[in-house]
Amino acid sequence: MMSRCAKLSLAALLAVACSAAQASQSDYLPPWNPPPAGGISFAVPPFDAIADLHGDIVDPQLTVFFAGNQFMVVHDLVEAFKHRYPQYRRVFVETLPPGILARQIETGSLVMGNLRIALKPDIFTNGKASIAELQQQHAWFADTVDYARNPLAIMVARGNPKQIHGLQDLGRADVRVSMPNPKWEGIAKQIEASYRKAGGDALDHTIMDDKVKAGSTYLTRIHHRESPLRVLQGESDAAPVWSTEAYFQQEVLHRPVETVAIPADQNVTATYTAARMKDAPHAQAAKDFLAFMTSEQAQAIYHKYGFQPPQP
């Protein structure tokens, strides 16, 4: 029979193990960028931690609305831009889903919790096709440049416990999938196109209809940054993502995940386009930033985070 002392020792060990497990889980929470320097830092994830608003919100000299999957690039990119153009010290960036950013432009403001933001962007970035569609609908943009490309991949936990080897496996009843929400995520259309290439309409219907109703496909509520977090926390078994998101978690942050490649004949590669707004509040800053996006320095930063150059 275990002595009282041994029981207390075991309880202490369990408490330490539990605390360590909770700490490692909380380590996975965003934001995954370093905070701005200066001032008091106050962040209590997940309650008070703003991951998608970057930089100076008061009187910015440049405002950029970035497609959300480029959150990992923002810190290095903005610092390099400021170094090259020292006249711009206050830069504000949002990395929300492009569908939400477009609605923010249409309505004139964004409400996040108790915060209302009524800033107009100087630059808007999105997939090339989406930029063309928005230009046709609204004629928002003065000029555009392509600056990066990105194929799809599947993210799984380290060791690939469910033995997921391709998109077909995401249709299995025992595989919990984290899927970008088609309501505001352009990537969702790209992934569904890949589902149809891999298994026809039947696979797409299984994952996006049957499994959503069954609860084994989760549709993201914010954007596809949720998907890596769900895999890391054991809430989903697989997540189709842009390859850079898997690269960032696996190679940059060294998280316990793996990447399952999607064959070229089933894959989709997005081209990212930056657009200068016709009514940009800071016209010269917008022109300078657009030029900077295709510079060797900016391209090196995108390469660091696994993005491909804009031209094959």
Side-chain angles (χ1 to χ4, degrees):
M1 190 171 182
M2 188 179 295
S3 69
R4 183 173 181 274
C5 183
K7 288 179 180 178
L8 288 173
S9 298
L10 179 59
L13 285 171
L14 289 172
V16 170
C18 181
S19 175
Q22 290 175 348
S24 65
Q25 288 292 310
S26 66
D27 287 345
Y28 297 151
L29 294 174
W32 293 318
N33 296 97
I40 183 171
S41 179
F42 178 77
V44 187
F47 305 105
D48 280 299
I50 300 175
D52 291 306
L53 308 182
H54 309 251
D56 295 278
I57 200 167
V58 177
D59 191 25
Q61 296 167 294
L62 174 70
T63 298
V64 184
F65 285 6
F66 261 111
N69 66 307
Q70 291 161 68
F71 64 89
M72 72 286 283
V73 177
V74 165
H75 179 268
D76 290 356
L77 194 72
V78 170
E79 289 303 306
F81 174 73
K82 288 179 179 179
H83 183 76
R84 183 163 179 172
Y85 297 93
Q87 66 268 38
Y88 306 123
R89 305 313 305 160
R90 300 184 305 279
V91 178
F92 176 67
V93 177
E94 293 184 11
T95 53
L96 292 162
I100 299 298
L101 294 174
R103 290 285 293 143
Q104 183 177 354
I105 296 171
E106 289 173 355
T107 61
S109 65
L110 171 78
V111 176
M112 181 179 287
N114 296 317
L115 177 68
R116 179 176 179 270
I117 301 170
L119 294 173
K120 290 184 176 181
D122 299 298
I123 298 287
F124 181 84
T125 84
N126 201 346
K128 188 179 181 74
S130 296
I131 289 288
E133 184 178 345
L134 288 169
Q135 180 70 341
Q136 187 175 18
Q137 292 174 351
H138 305 289
W140 281 343
F141 311 124
D143 54 349
T144 64
V145 296
D146 299 338
Y147 60 90
R149 291 180 305 122
N150 208 357
L152 295 170
I154 304 171
M155 182 187 295
V156 298
R158 181 181 292 165
N160 196 0
K162 286 296 181 78
Q163 294 300 298
I164 294 162
H165 302 294
L167 293 170
Q168 288 275 13
D169 290 325
L170 273 55
R172 287 165 28 198
D174 66 313
V175 174
R176 298 168 300 167
V177 178
S178 183
M179 177 71 195
N181 197 317
K183 289 183 179 180
W184 46 70
E185 289 279 48
I187 185 178
K189 295 179 182 178
Q190 312 270 24
I191 295 170
E192 287 195 78
S194 287
Y195 288 156
R196 289 189 290 272
K197 289 179 181 179
D201 290 339
L203 180 62
D204 185 41
H205 178 77
T206 296
I207 298 170
M208 297 301 297
D209 294 307
D210 296 344
K211 294 188 64 170
V212 168
K213 292 174 184 175
S216 57
T217 290
Y218 171 85
L219 298 180
T220 59
R221 293 175 297 169
I222 303 171
H223 60 47
H224 43 286
R225 179 162 47 205
E226 285 180 82
S227 292
L229 188 59
R230 289 183 63 84
V231 172
L232 285 164
Q233 295 182 325
E235 296 171 337
S236 294
D237 302 308
V241 294
W242 293 120
S243 66
T244 50
E245 292 170 292
Y247 180 88
F248 178 66
Q249 294 293 334
Q250 185 174 349
E251 302 297 334
V252 179
L253 297 182
H254 306 293
R255 302 302 193 203
V257 295
E258 293 182 10
T259 302
V260 177
I262 299 173
D265 61 347
Q266 299 174 10
N267 212 326
V268 174
T269 298
T271 297
Y272 298 128
T273 299
R276 179 170 63 89
M277 304 294 291
K278 284 183 179 178
D279 61 350
H282 312 97
Q284 187 58 50
K287 291 178 182 178
D288 290 339
F289 189 81
L290 205 66
F292 175 72
M293 289 294 283
T294 57
S295 69
E296 288 186 9
Q297 192 173 12
Q299 289 296 301
I301 292 169
Y302 272 92
H303 178 72
K304 170 185 173 181
Y305 290 100
F307 289 84
Q308 298 177 3
Q311 301 298 327

